[in-house]
Amino acid sequence: MLIGELAARTGSTTRALRYYEEQGLLESGRTASGYRVYGPNAETRVRNVRDLLASGFTIENVKSFVRYLDTDLPEVFAYSPACSDGYLVGAQRVAELAEKIAALTRLHDILVHRMPWLATPDDASRKEAA
Amino acid sequence: MLIGELAARTGSTTRALRYYEEQGLLESGRTASGYRVYGPNAETRVRNVRDLLASGFTIENVKSFVRYLDTDLPEVFAYSPACSDGYLVGAQRVAELAEKIAALTRLHDILVHRMPWLATPDDASRKEAA
DNA sequence: GTTGACCTTCACGTATGGGGCAATGTCTAG
DNA sequence: CTAGACATTGCCCCATACGTGAAGGTCAAC
């Protein structure tokens, strides 16, 4: 399978696949003329990478899961913290996201506090609730 | 007043002040030897710029307020939408922040949903409330 | 032999607010 | 006269996951 086919089968792009390889998340053989060649496992692997990215992990995070990316991930994730590093990475990522959300929320609230006429109905209802 | 003094008086850095000038938010005269020279208004202006940035506006946003930056801003902001462009910029910025917060929250929730053992007490209480 | 679809590497652009160098010029005090 | 504190411009760096060309090689079909 060449890179175009793999991209089509996984709903990604050739650019993304080369990027994953550059990041050490994907391996490929080469034809005599230098084209990347992929085995059938590559499809599962790419799906897993994209699945994790879409779940809020970063590329760096996904590197921690690289050992498990050739089997179906739902299996891995279904049974509690399957691997301790997965747990740690997940927990750290959740904390990072929570922190970023908090920081942006702080900015948002400062802004609304200074310019109260900017409050959205959503803000108003949250204010009522508080 | 030279750049170092202005930086010290406003709690910023020389690098930041040159950046503000590059962005058109600050003006300076020059000595014969090329040093930047600032008048006393510069201090108010820089404070206002940094105040707006700290309030969640971007550099681009602050450019919209450039006409008002030589007077004390609290005055400007105290009387409802003092200037219609201020209102528009503020509203847009609030919307942008809200959107970013929503996007990050979506990621966060997906992650917690997939790895429920990662939920923080905060998540749990929010879940109860819902 | 040529068109066209496929592939390659290289490398800049995205948004944000500066940080941190380098290489060099200027001013002031001892 | 020289040290050192200050100034200048300019350029690369940060994180993020690729997008979007450029300039060119490869392969199948007609």
Side-chain angles (χ1 to χ4, degrees):
Chain A
M1 184 168 35
L2 297 184
I3 197 172
E5 191 184 343
L6 182 58
R9 290 164 84 100
T10 57
S12 58
T13 65
T14 59
R15 179 64 179 95
L17 296 179
R18 291 193 192 99
Y19 177 65
Y20 298 154
E21 181 172 331
E22 186 188 317
Q23 297 301 314
L25 297 176
L26 186 57
E27 288 156 25
S28 65
R30 299 291 180 126
T31 67
S33 54
Y35 289 14
R36 285 173 176 80
V37 188
Y38 300 94
N41 292 337
E43 196 172 331
T44 300
R45 179 175 277 250
V46 171
R47 279 189 206 287
N48 285 334
V49 169
R50 298 180 71 77
D51 188 22
L52 289 170
L53 288 176
S55 294
F57 287 105
T58 68
I59 285 283
E60 283 303 312
N61 293 152
V62 176
K63 290 181 186 177
S64 315
F65 297 116
V66 76
R67 288 189 302 275
Y68 311 104
L69 294 182
D70 280 329
T71 66
D72 283 343
L73 272 192
E75 204 175 327
V76 175
F77 281 106
Y79 307 108
S80 73
C83 38
S84 64
D85 48 353
Y87 175 85
L88 288 175
V89 172
Q92 191 184 341
R93 185 59 182 152
V94 165
E96 286 168 11
L97 285 175
E99 197 177 344
K100 284 191 179 180
I101 291 167
L104 284 179
T105 302
R106 241 173 279 137
L107 276 184
H108 178 273
D109 290 350
I110 289 172
L111 210 46
V112 170
H113 178 71
R114 286 193 63 158
M115 306 172 84
W117 56 89
L118 294 179
T120 62
D122 184 49
D123 297 320
S125 64
R126 267 189 296 159
K127 202 170 184 179
E128 272 178 34
Chain B
M1 185 166 34
L2 297 184
I3 197 171
E5 190 183 344
L6 183 57
R9 290 163 84 98
T10 57
S12 59
T13 64
T14 60
R15 180 68 179 89
L17 295 179
R18 293 193 191 99
Y19 177 64
Y20 298 154
E21 182 172 331
E22 185 188 318
Q23 298 301 312
L25 298 177
L26 186 58
E27 287 156 24
S28 65
R30 296 294 179 124
T31 69
S33 54
Y35 288 13
R36 286 173 175 79
V37 188
Y38 301 94
N41 292 338
E43 196 172 331
T44 300
R45 181 176 275 249
V46 171
R47 279 189 206 288
N48 285 335
V49 169
R50 296 179 72 78
D51 187 23
L52 289 171
L53 288 176
S55 294
F57 287 106
T58 67
I59 287 282
E60 282 303 313
N61 293 153
V62 177
K63 290 181 186 175
S64 314
F65 297 116
V66 78
R67 289 189 303 274
Y68 311 102
L69 294 182
D70 281 329
T71 68
D72 282 344
L73 273 192
E75 207 176 325
V76 175
F77 281 106
Y79 307 108
S80 70
C83 38
S84 65
D85 49 354
Y87 176 85
L88 288 175
V89 171
Q92 190 183 342
R93 185 60 184 149
V94 165
E96 286 168 11
L97 286 175
E99 196 176 345
K100 284 190 180 181
I101 291 167
L104 284 179
T105 302
R106 241 173 279 134
L107 275 184
H108 178 274
D109 290 350
I110 289 171
L111 208 47
V112 170
H113 178 71
R114 286 194 62 160
M115 306 172 86
W117 57 88
L118 295 179
T120 62
D122 185 50
D123 297 319
S125 65
R126 267 190 295 163
K127 202 171 182 180
E128 271 176 35

